[in-house]
């Protein structure tokens, strides 16, 4: 089976398995993380056709026709060929969480939030963050990072 | 090798063969937990000073940044960055120019020195790292002087360059100096470290060196470790704690898709499978038919019954004066407190990759304690060279001081002859770990004219340290020591009472217990500081003034007095009115003093924490951003325990599954948090755990203030 992952077409053998393990083990994109395995913590989050999706709860074959974006696929080559961070990545680097195992969830949730609106309300930011868990207690830092991501995204607009 | 014949290890080699240990200095465990040592001495047992010798190596290669290998594990506390700040300060280089690499078991560090625990990393390495870096800087300076043909007094070291102040053109980068070096290095070991007033990096720069790797999904944690041709393992778990495997019928698994091998070792209580994918391994495992025998059937009622203070029982850990006499006449105020078992809920379940050959075992593992991993593996692989590669750790909180995924992966890898990864599921990790033990506290005091003239705290708890790591000599040693070193943290009050007694009952519940952030700190401080408010109310005194009365104006109490007055100022304590939902608590741990004020409201039977103020004196703050994150994290994890967390045991097993029925604090429940550090140039003490101490008591005291209701257990029920 073929899948579109981070803009590339990839051959996948174990189509009946969870998307998380296809990404993590079969393709070797280990940026998405197992946290709970039941869709509660959000550490495994990816975008499926732009929609925040728990990859631990998604069978790969069910999203075979969709465009998958993972944390590994954010960022882009710049004009001089060097890697340019996605503004959301940049924001979370400036506001680093503690262990960062949950970070893929927070980053992908923020990417989705800002794709829907580049000017989210405070309540929308709160709702977005509350989708994911963080045991290190980095929640206030996450709020600061999302606010910074909003700022960086606005700056990048033409 | 470059054309000047300098191997990349030449500096390293020059130093070790020169007989002078130039850039590795001795580690002195100078910041243990003083109350433990005090108690041991008082009881006549010699304190065990951890074996010291470790080396901190800087690796210098021509035309490359200086590499620092750090023994401590990065699990979110930002330790790699904090240690880099210390080194960069003395090296006189921008911290961004330093490459930090996790040391492995082959890097000449003792494995004990890699154990990352007890809020000890910054405190114990503050001197050795700076000293080593200063020696390296002076060695480079000496060499630069020689290369530039100048007296050493002329050479200044700044921003990664050796330069001559009066001749601006005379300039060599450190890389230039290293690249041009011919012959053996001459280590300069007589150096002076900088005074804190001259620091430009320590306490000034906020950096997380690992943030970019982690924000781009490229960091290697234990769960992410990969190797060519790797397979996936899964292991059977007992239905009850302590149950033993007596037989396994693997016939149904043989035909499972992707199965490589079923591995059964009854004497080791072990059965697992190896398959081509993780999912296939799980499916095959489900087809094994094990027979288990024995184990405990204890449940919560048993645990509570066992964990109950029996008056007069247990060992006296500390005493002053004669409390029995003080209690002999007149009313004794008495209160009981309980804390439940709790799980760590680190976000990355335990995991390891192992590659075993006939002569070697190499494991990549998410661990706080590489030495324990090696000790797990070594007895089963005699004659093998064992290499432990610690990975990034997705949260530890004590759970990863002892985890056996590496041994499981090694057994499976040895069986199939290929690398095998074992990553536990959340369910396995949650139900088959070890836990913060339940505690029961009985506190008594007698007040005369509003003054405490007698105080007794009796504590019953299962082990923390000895539950995971029995000392040499086993039970005999434990009986001689008389207490578990973990459970007594926070047990010794900072207050000076005329007559006092601390009594501890060690209990056995058959349920695995072990270190959880702060060990006994949160339970003991919850009990003590709730009781202090109870006494203050009985004496009709302000809780702050009541506490200060038992903290003499001397060196020993100065930190705690300072944080109490700071938190009072931050929160406007003097202007608050009784009944509005304000609570205060404080503690000392590892030499760090913490005071906290919580503001709560109670809405339709639920506690809402609105604001937490925290003042901390941990000596000099090395990494400002990291320090704030540690305090914030401790407060939030503490609130989670205070409001939600209670592990339920039924019939010898954990009765919950994970986040679904053991909820942890969510973003939407996080209060406003205001943190202040006392400005200090004193050597840093620890920070990862002390701030969790007062959280539960501050909130409980605030709820009592708001409702008038006495609270005697966490999670708080009103």
């Amino acid at each position: 089976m073929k899948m579109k992952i981070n803009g590339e077409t990839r051959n996948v053998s174990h189509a009946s398995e969870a998307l998380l393990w296809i990404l993590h083990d079969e393709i070797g994109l280990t940026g998405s993380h197992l946290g709970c395995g039941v869709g509660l913590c959000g550490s495994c989050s990816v975008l499926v056709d732009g929609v925040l999706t728990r990859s631990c709860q998604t069978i790969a074959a069910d999203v075979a026709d969709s465009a998958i974006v993972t944390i590994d696929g954010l960022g882009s080559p710049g004009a001089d060929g060097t890697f340019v961070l996605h503004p959301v990545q940049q924001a979370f680097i400036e506001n680093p969480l503690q262990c960062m195992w949950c970070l893929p969830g927070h980053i992908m949730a923020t990417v989705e939030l800002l794709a829907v609106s580049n000017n989210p309300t405070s309540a929308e930011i709160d709702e977005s963050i509350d989708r994911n868990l963080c045991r290190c207690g980095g929640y206030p830092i996450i709020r600061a990072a999302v606010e910074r991501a909003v700022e960086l995204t606005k700056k990048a607009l033409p | 090798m470059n054309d000047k014949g300098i191997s990349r290890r030449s500096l390293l080699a020059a130093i070790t063969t020169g007989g002078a240990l130039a850039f590795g200095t001795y580690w002195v465990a100078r910041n243990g937990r003083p109350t433990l040592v005090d108690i041991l001495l008082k009881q006549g047992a010699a304190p065990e000073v951890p074996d010291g010798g470790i080396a901190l190596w800087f690796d210098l290669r021509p035309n490359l940044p200086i590499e620092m290998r750090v023994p401590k594990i990065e699990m979110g506390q930002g330790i790699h960055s904090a240690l880099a700040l210390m080194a960069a300060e003395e090296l006189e280089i921008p911290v961004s120019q330093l490459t930090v690499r996790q040391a492995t078991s082959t890097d000449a560090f003792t494995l004990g020195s890699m154990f990352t625990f007890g809020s000890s990393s910054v405190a114990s390495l503050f001197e050795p790292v700076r000293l080593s870096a200063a020696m390296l800087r002076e060695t480079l300076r000496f060499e630069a002087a020689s290369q530039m043909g100048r007296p050493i007094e002329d050479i200044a070291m700044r921003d990664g360059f050796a330069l001559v102040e009066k001749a601006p053109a005379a300039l060599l980068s450190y890389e230039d100096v290293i690249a041009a070096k011919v012959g053996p290095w001459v280590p300069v070991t007589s150096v002076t470290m900088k005074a804190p007033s001259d620091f430009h990096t320590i306490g000034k720069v906020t950096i997380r060196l690992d943030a970019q790797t982690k924000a781009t999904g490229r960091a290697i944690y234990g769960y992410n470790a990969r190797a060519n041709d790797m397979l996936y393992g899964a292991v059977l778990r007992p239905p009850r704690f302590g149950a033993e495997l007596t037989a396994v019928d693997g016939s149904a698994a043989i035909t499972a898709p992707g199965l490589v091998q079923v591995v059964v070792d009854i004497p080791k209580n072990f059965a697992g499978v190896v398959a081509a994918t993780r999912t296939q391994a799980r499916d095959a495992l489900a087809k094994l038919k094990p027979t288990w025998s024995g184990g405990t059937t204890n449940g919560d009622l048993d645990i509570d019954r066992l964990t109950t203070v029996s008056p007069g029982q247990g060992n006296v850990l500390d005493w002053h004066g004669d409390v029995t006499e003080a209690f002999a006449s007149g009313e004794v105020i008495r209160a009981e407190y309980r804390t439940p078992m709790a799980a760590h809920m680190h976000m990355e379940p335990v995991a390891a990759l192992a590659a075993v050959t006939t002569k070697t075992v190499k494991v990549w593992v998410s661990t706080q304690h590489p030495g324990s991993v090696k000790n797990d593996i070594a007895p089963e692989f005699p004659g093998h060279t064992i290499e432990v590669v610690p990975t990034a750790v997705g949260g530890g909180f004590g759970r990863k001081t002892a985890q056996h995924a590496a041994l499981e992966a090694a057994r499976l890898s040895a069986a199939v002859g290929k690398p095998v990864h074992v990553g536990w599921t959340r369910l396995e990790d949650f139900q088959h770990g070890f836990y913060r033990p339940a505690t029961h506290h009985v506190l008594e005091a007698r007040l005369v004219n509003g003054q405490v003239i007698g105080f007794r705290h009796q504590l019953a708890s299962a082990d923390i340290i000895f539950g995971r790591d029995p000392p040499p000599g086993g039970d005999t040693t434990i009986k001689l020591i008389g207490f578990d070193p973990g459970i007594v943290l926070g047990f010794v009050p900072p207050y000076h009472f005329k007559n006092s007694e601390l009594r501890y009952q060690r209990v056995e519940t058959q349920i695995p217990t072990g270190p959880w952030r702060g060990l006994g700190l949160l339970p003991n401080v919850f009990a003590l500081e709730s009781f202090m408010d109870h006494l203050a109310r009985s004496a009709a005194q302000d809780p702050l003034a009541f506490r200060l009365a038992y903290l003499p104006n001397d060196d020993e109490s100065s930190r705690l007095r300072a944080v109490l007055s700071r938190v009072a100022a931050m929160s406007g304590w003097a202007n608050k009115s009784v009944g509005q939902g304000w609570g205060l608590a404080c503690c000392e741990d590892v030499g760090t003093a913490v005071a906290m004020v919580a503001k709560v409201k109670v809405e339709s039977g639920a506690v809402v924490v609105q604001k937490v103020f925290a003042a901390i004196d941990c000596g000099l703050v090395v990494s400002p951003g990291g320090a704030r994150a540690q305090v914030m994290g401790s407060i939030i994890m503490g609130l989670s325990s205070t409001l939600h967390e209670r592990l339920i045991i039924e019939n010898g097993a954990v009765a919950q599954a994970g986040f679904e029925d053991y909820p942890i604090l969510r973003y939407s429940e996080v209060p406003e948090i205001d943190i202040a550090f006392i400005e200090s140039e004193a050597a840093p003490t620890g920070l990862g755990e002390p701030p969790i101490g007062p959280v539960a008591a501050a909130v409980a005291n605030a709820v009592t203030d708001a409702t008038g209701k006495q609270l005697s257990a966490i999670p708080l029920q009103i």
Side-chain angles (χ1 to χ4, degrees), chain B residues 151-166:
Chain B
I152 190 160
E153 297 76 29
D154 281 6
I155 309 294
M157 306 294 267
R158 196 179 304 146
D159 287 334
F161 289 93
L163 50 91
V164 179
E165 301 276 12
K166 51 198 175 190

Side-chain angles (χ1 to χ4, degrees), chain B residues 340-630:
Chain B
M341 294 180 72
H344 305 82
M345 305 312 273
H346 46 284
M347 295 304 288
E348 181 204 19
V350 297
L353 171 69
V356 179
T357 69
T358 52
K359 291 193 172 130
T360 62
V361 178
K362 185 169 183 178
V363 293
W364 293 260
V365 55
S366 184
T367 179
Q368 292 174 241
H369 193 354
S372 78
V373 173
K374 193 165 183 175
N375 291 342
D376 270 0
I377 293 172
E380 293 190 22
F381 294 90
H384 285 63
T385 305
I386 298 166
E387 184 178 355
V388 180
V389 183
T391 62
V393 170
F397 313 118
R399 173 68 180 93
K400 288 169 185 170
T401 57
Q403 65 110 314
H404 309 298
L407 174 61
E408 294 169 354
R411 286 174 180 167
L412 295 174
S413 173
V416 299
K418 285 185 177 176
V420 174
H421 190 274
V422 172
W424 288 28
T425 63
R426 171 60 53 188
L427 189 73
E428 280 183 292
D429 194 319
F430 178 66
Q431 295 190 335
H432 300 275
F434 54 84
Y435 310 94
R436 192 183 73 203
T439 61
H440 179 228
H441 310 255
V442 176
L443 286 101
E444 295 161 291
R446 189 164 162 230
L447 293 177
V448 172
N449 299 327
Q451 282 204 323
V452 178
I453 65 146
F455 170 90
R456 180 189 281 142
H457 184 170
Q458 298 177 82
L459 160 69
S461 171
D463 286 345
I464 291 181
I465 301 291
F466 293 150
R468 298 292 90 209
D469 198 6
D475 242 29
T476 311
T477 310
I478 295 175
K479 284 195 180 112
L480 183 71
I481 296 172
F483 65 95
D484 181 275
I487 191 56
V488 297
L489 297 187
F491 188 43
V492 181
Y495 307 111
H496 290 227
F497 299 127
K498 264 188 207 133
N499 301 289
S500 67
E501 183 180 282
L502 300 173
R503 204 174 262 277
Y504 161 73
Q505 263 172 271
R506 184 170 171 248
V507 302
E508 173 56 72
T509 62
Q510 311 299 327
I511 308 297
T513 50
W516 185 99
R517 193 176 200 167
L519 313 181
L521 194 61
L522 186 143
N524 284 321
V525 176
F526 167 64
L528 171 64
E529 288 292 284
S530 297
F531 191 59
M532 287 299 283
D533 258 39
H534 185 49
L535 294 179
R537 275 190 301 278
S538 303
Q541 291 177 33
D542 171 71
L544 174 62
F546 185 79
R547 284 172 172 81
L548 287 171
Y550 302 97
L551 296 170
N553 212 345
D554 59 17
D555 275 2
E556 192 191 328
S557 300
S558 63
R559 279 195 174 184
L560 203 50
R561 291 184 69 92
V563 294
L564 278 165
S565 63
R566 181 68 173 270
V567 86
M570 289 162 73
S571 61
W573 184 263
N575 303 320
K576 77 167 190 68
S577 307
V578 172
Q580 292 180 333
W582 292 85
L584 171 77
C586 63
C587 75
E588 272 187 315
D589 181 41
V590 295
T592 294
V594 186
M596 237 167 245
V597 165
K599 169 75 176 78
V600 306
K601 62 178 177 178
V602 177
E603 277 180 349
S604 41
V607 176
V608 177
V609 182
Q610 298 169 291
K611 180 134 191 180
V612 174
F613 300 87
I616 299 104
D617 187 346
C618 59
L620 191 143
V621 171
V622 171
S623 177
R628 296 187 76 79
Q630 284 283 55

